[in-house]
Amino acid sequence: KEYLASQLWQDVKTIVFKNKGRCCMLCENEAYTVHHNRYSVLELTGERLKYLHPICRPCHERIEFCKDGSKAMLLLAKCNFSKLRNKRKKKLGYR
């Protein structure tokens, strides 16, 4: 929580939105948050943007939380993200 409230994270989010736009990569709604697919120092400091994705709040909640409202473990969150991303790619006609 401390990191997410930090100026560093606010700066990283600004950079991600500037470079990748404000469109949710999973549904095309307006993105208000950035999802980490990796938590290395490179992502946490914004030095590598490849695994940081702009997404909307509903998609982020679908990724990060279980049906019972508990926080998903990292592996489950990655799996949820991949499922939604693949569903979007299929809808757009990508393989």
Side-chain angles (χ1 to χ4, degrees):
K1 287 184 179 184
E2 186 177 318
Y3 168 72
L4 295 176
S6 73
Q7 185 60 50
L8 172 60
W9 177 237
Q10 298 309 310
D11 293 344
V12 170
K13 281 178 40 176
T14 299
I15 292 167
V16 171
F17 290 142
K18 182 178 178 182
N19 285 282
K20 295 188 174 188
R22 295 292 301 234
C23 182
C24 176
M25 72 165 299
L26 300 174
C27 74
E28 292 192 19
N29 287 327
E30 187 171 2
Y32 292 98
T33 191
V34 173
H35 176 69
H36 293 81
N37 264 359
R38 293 195 181 171
Y39 289 88
S40 76
V41 171
L42 294 173
E43 281 75 40
L44 295 174
T45 59
E47 294 177 54
R48 178 171 54 196
L49 304 180
K50 181 178 180 178
Y51 302 105
L52 299 173
H53 308 288
I55 61 174
C56 67
R57 283 187 184 103
C59 284
H60 199 230
E61 288 178 10
R62 289 174 67 191
I63 293 166
E64 292 286 333
F65 294 94
C66 300
K67 290 179 182 179
D68 67 2
S70 63
K71 182 93 163 108
M73 301 282 282
L74 184 57
L75 187 58
L76 179 58
K78 285 183 179 185
C79 182
N80 291 342
F81 179 87
S82 293
K83 285 179 185 178
L84 288 173
R85 185 187 61 211
N86 291 339
K87 183 177 177 181
R88 171 111 175 95
K89 284 181 177 181
K90 186 176 180 180
K91 181 178 178 181
L92 293 174
Y94 296 112
R95 295 180 181 231

